[in-house]
Amino acid sequence: MLSGEIVMPRVGAWLADLALDAAPPAGACTISVADGAVTFRGTVVRGNSFRERHSVLVVGGAGGLSGYLVHYQHRAAPLETPLKAILRDAGEALSESSDGATLRRRLTSWDRRAGTAGDALTALLDDAGASWRVLDDGTVWVGAETWPAATVVLQTTGDGGSQDSVEVATDLPVLRPGVTVGGRKVSTAIHRFEPSRVRTRLLFERTGMDRLRGAFFGLARQALAAVDYHPSYAATVVQQQGNGDLEVRVDDERFRRTEGGTGIAGAKVWPGVPGISYALKKGTRVLVGFLDGLGKTPIVTGWHSETPERVSLEADRINLGDGATRGVARLNDTVAAGTLTAVAVPPNGVTITYTPPSGAPVVIALVGTGLTVTPASGAIAGNISSASSKSFAE
């Protein structure tokens, strides 16, 4: 090796770009520094020779982290199960120094989206609040960052100032990400090899995301800012306004006017069924989206299992059953109960005739001074005479 550098990020696989004095190797390889005092085990990604100039690109590990994996679903398992499945399918190995608490963390369910093995590892461990990276020996370490202080004696040769970086000289390239130097968290270590010396540049954390990912995410977010308005976001109802619009507090801080604020007011309710409207209680969990992907048109498209305060259905005709033809009765609708007719029968009697809405009339005779009643009892029937003109049942 004539010269080159090894970039070691806090999350991901290290990458070595080296100039050689002979044709580059292929497959698995070992980079040895100072007669084996420090070694890196990786896999050749690309080698090139042109007019006696030779170069090689080496990635840490077995080279399988950029490989494509199919979708897979895990349920009720420790994190170690989907993690080992990713590494097995990628042909990589788990480091024995990985954090046991992270590996034992229970998952209710986890879906591995189709994509690269590296992306799957990042998604799995981001959900768990943990990290992964390829170590010197080519194995994959996972765990929560503890940020121990570096124990290496350093000689600072340059300060990046506003770039949050520093260049140091050491006898060997032994500084790694995930430690602190001078109270600052090392996010990326870049070891540069020159014919007569080794120099290391340390990039420090800025936003809680490793520097290389953070730089990429920053550029991607600028280019794809509008994409933020295409997913749905979990939110909580603060209040429902008189016109039915909702004021909601979105879980994602990007959609709050102020830290801890409510965030979005005037969200229209789109329940997905024409004619239905809802009165939702304060505290109801809802899904908030944006019509046509525009931030100016927030809509609520669904909610969790909380019972709404009121549900209304409005349509020209509402049928309760395919063959519904009879109007639905409502509180205080009128009922036709028939008619009563009383006729005096001299000298001291009365005949009362009850005519129901349907069926034969019933005659009740009251005769004599003792008022003997015949018959003594009878049923009174009634038919609903007014009902809804919109709602019908079978």
Side-chain angles (χ1 to χ4, degrees):
M1 183 171 62
L2 300 176
S3 63
E5 67 179 21
I6 299 179
V7 179
M8 307 189 75
R10 183 171 67 81
V11 176
W14 55 261
L15 197 66
D17 189 2
L18 310 172
L20 308 179
D21 64 358
C29 68
T30 299
I31 302 171
S32 176
V33 182
D35 296 326
V38 179
T39 58
F40 301 89
R41 291 184 174 86
T43 301
V44 173
V45 176
R46 183 175 63 251
N48 185 59
S49 295
F50 180 72
R51 293 183 180 178
E52 299 186 359
R53 296 175 63 90
H54 312 284
S55 62
V56 67
L57 189 66
V58 179
V59 65
L65 294 171
S66 60
Y68 185 87
L69 303 183
V70 299
H71 170 266
Y72 199 90
Q73 185 180 51
H74 299 268
R75 291 192 178 278
L79 183 142
E80 184 177 17
T81 298
L83 173 69
K84 286 187 173 180
I86 295 169
L87 297 179
R88 179 197 64 230
D89 294 347
E92 301 285 351
L94 179 65
S95 171
E96 294 182 357
S97 64
S98 294
D99 176 41
T102 299
L103 298 178
R104 291 189 297 270
R105 176 170 176 165
R106 297 293 299 180
L107 303 177
T108 303
S109 66
W110 189 75
D111 282 315
R112 185 177 81 190
R113 186 176 59 187
T116 68
D119 286 344
L121 284 176
T122 300
L124 174 64
L125 293 164
D126 276 353
D127 289 346
S131 305
W132 72 275
R133 54 180 166 269
V134 177
L135 303 181
D136 299 12
D137 63 1
T139 61
V140 176
W141 175 88
V142 301
E145 302 288 1
T146 58
W147 302 106
T151 58
V152 181
V153 177
L154 306 176
Q155 178 183 353
T156 302
T157 61
D159 193 332
S162 62
Q163 299 302 311
D164 287 330
S165 67
V166 65
E167 186 173 279
V168 297
T170 60
D171 294 332
L172 295 170
V174 293
L175 282 170
R176 300 291 179 265
V179 301
T180 58
V181 171
R184 292 193 287 179
K185 298 175 179 179
V186 177
S187 183
T188 303
I190 304 173
H191 303 294
R192 189 171 67 254
F193 303 98
E194 300 175 0
S196 59
R197 64 180 186 175
V198 176
R199 288 291 183 267
T200 297
R201 177 161 290 278
L202 304 177
L203 306 182
F204 297 108
E205 294 272 315
R206 284 179 170 173
T207 61
M209 182 180 294
D210 70 276
R211 284 285 294 273
L212 298 186
R213 282 181 70 205
F216 174 78
F217 272 48
L219 292 174
R221 182 162 298 283
Q222 292 180 35
L224 302 174
V227 175
D228 288 343
Y229 293 106
H230 288 276
S232 295
Y233 296 90
T236 302
V237 172
V238 176
Q239 65 175 345
Q240 189 158 19
Q241 299 162 352
N243 63 355
D245 292 351
L246 295 173
E247 182 177 357
V248 296
R249 184 177 187 271
V250 184
D251 291 358
D252 194 313
E253 289 281 357
R254 291 174 296 171
F255 295 94
R256 299 185 193 175
R257 291 190 296 272
T258 58
E259 184 176 356
T262 54
I264 295 178
K268 302 291 183 183
V269 179
W270 281 44
V273 178
I276 289 185
S277 60
Y278 295 84
L280 299 180
K281 300 174 183 175
K282 179 180 179 179
T284 299
R285 295 289 288 167
V286 296
L287 283 178
V288 175
F290 298 89
L291 188 62
D292 297 327
L294 301 176
K296 64 181 181 180
T297 52
I299 58 175
V300 171
T301 58
W303 43 89
H304 201 251
S305 58
E306 291 94 339
T307 301
E309 184 177 321
R310 184 181 66 254
V311 179
S312 301
L313 175 59
E314 179 64 32
D316 292 339
R317 182 183 175 103
I318 302 168
N319 281 4
L320 305 179
D322 291 339
T325 58
R326 294 180 290 176
V328 174
R330 301 151 298 176
L331 181 66
N332 295 327
D333 276 343
T334 57
V335 176
T339 60
L340 289 173
T341 303
V343 178
V345 180
N348 54 0
V350 176
T351 299
I352 299 175
T353 301
Y354 168 57
T355 305
S358 60
V362 178
V363 178
I364 301 172
L366 304 172
V367 181
T369 57
L371 294 179
T372 300
V373 179
T374 305
S377 64
I380 297 177
N383 287 341
I384 296 171
S385 58
S386 66
S388 173
S389 61
K390 287 189 175 184
S391 300
F392 297 85
E394 294 186 86

